[in-house]
Amino acid sequence: KANGYREWGIVDPQRKPRALYKAFQTELSPVLVTITDNQIVIQAKADFPSYTLINYKLLVKTDTDTKEYPIKTLQPGNIHKINIDKLPANAHLVIQNTKGITVYDSALFNK
């Protein structure tokens, strides 16, 4: 019975991500994120992969709180700026689509 598993894939037989999974998630993210003192700048990639981002959201997570910011519709190459008072040192940034699929995770970029 075919289950879709391949030995060379990015998940193991139990569908747990292998180490290579994070590299794929990082390289195939459709966004670039820049953080300054008082802004988070989100840019839809203009190269591969590029597509219109509709109804995405930014989650700023700390140990005690999660704040959600909607992201306006972004065409490839466009940017969206989110003003923030001050980003906590332990903040974890996640960008998700409407189905809850993570397309950016700052933990992957800060290792």
Side-chain angles (χ1 to χ4, degrees):
K1 172 175 158 179
N3 67 6
Y5 168 71
R6 300 291 181 263
E7 292 177 8
W8 59 86
I10 60 175
V11 295
D12 68 15
Q14 289 73 42
R15 300 290 196 255
K16 287 177 46 183
R18 293 183 178 169
L20 187 57
Y21 185 90
K22 289 182 180 182
F24 269 73
Q25 189 177 22
T26 301
E27 292 300 317
L28 297 177
S29 174
V31 297
L32 300 170
V33 177
T34 307
I35 301 167
T36 63
D37 290 336
N38 60 353
Q39 270 189 343
I40 299 171
V41 180
I42 301 165
Q43 179 178 9
K45 282 186 180 177
D47 58 0
F48 182 81
S50 68
Y51 48 87
T52 303
L53 305 177
I54 302 171
N55 295 324
Y56 281 64
K57 63 185 173 184
L58 168 70
L59 303 174
V60 179
K61 299 179 177 186
T62 64
D63 295 337
T64 58
D65 191 24
T66 298
K67 292 185 180 175
E68 186 175 308
Y69 300 88
I71 300 172
K72 69 176 186 174
T73 297
L74 293 176
Q75 299 293 331
N78 288 18
I79 63 170
H80 178 70
K81 296 179 181 179
I82 297 173
N83 293 319
I84 51 173
D85 292 331
K86 184 176 180 189
L87 193 62
N90 66 341
H92 179 181
L93 306 180
V94 174
I95 296 177
Q96 293 180 338
N97 67 15
T98 55
K99 295 181 180 178
I101 296 173
T102 298
V103 298
Y104 175 86
D105 185 335
S106 63
L108 299 176
F109 290 89
N110 295 325
K111 287 193 174 186

